[in-house]
Amino acid sequence: MTYDYEKRAGFIYFIQESILKNIKIGFTSSHPKKRLHTLALANSQELHFLGFMLGDKPDEKRLHYKFKHLHVRNEWFEPGDDLLQFIDKLNYGNEFEKALSQYIKAP
């Protein structure tokens, strides 16, 4: 039996640069706060955690496609109204998501 890494569960996260305001739509199978720390080490701008949702790599790809009109480079997107509204409407329904939502820092 082989493991399908494309279907492993994790988090789709939304991280914004402090100056350019571009938003990274990414996937991690580890804690989203850990991913923020890793990205911050390689970025010249301060980064802010806008939100996250449970998901997998195919979900991340669907979001990249949905917001392709805002695409800047790699996994970075312009902060268009529709993307910001999508992030703003994320629902932290279950207890696990509520516990993780404490790490979101408003821009």
Side-chain angles (χ1 to χ4, degrees):
M1 180 176 191
T2 60
Y3 184 75
D4 187 353
Y5 286 96
E6 286 289 309
K7 294 184 180 178
R8 69 182 163 186
F11 302 95
I12 311 278
Y13 58 83
F14 303 88
I15 292 175
Q16 187 172 43
E17 298 172 313
S18 61
I19 299 170
L20 295 176
K21 302 296 185 190
N22 290 327
I23 297 171
K24 180 172 174 60
I25 302 173
F27 170 81
T28 184
S29 58
S30 65
H31 195 291
K33 188 175 180 186
K34 182 178 178 182
R35 184 65 180 135
L36 173 65
H37 177 72
T38 302
L39 289 170
L41 292 174
N43 198 304
S44 64
Q45 296 183 46
E46 185 177 343
L47 301 177
H48 300 282
F49 201 87
L50 298 182
F52 69 92
M53 58 188 272
L54 298 176
D56 55 20
K57 289 293 285 181
D59 292 330
E60 176 200 30
K61 289 177 184 176
R62 280 190 284 279
L63 287 173
H64 288 174
Y65 182 77
K66 179 176 183 166
F67 297 110
K68 68 181 180 181
H69 61 286
L70 301 171
H71 185 252
V72 175
R73 184 172 189 259
N74 298 329
E75 295 184 335
W76 291 92
F77 297 80
E78 294 175 4
D81 289 340
D82 51 345
L83 175 54
L84 292 170
Q85 288 172 9
F86 179 86
I87 295 168
D88 192 47
K89 291 180 181 178
L90 291 174
N91 182 9
Y92 302 105
N94 68 42
E95 292 304 313
F96 181 66
E97 288 176 316
K98 286 179 185 176
L100 285 174
S101 69
Q102 68 181 317
Y103 297 107
I104 296 170
K105 179 180 178 183

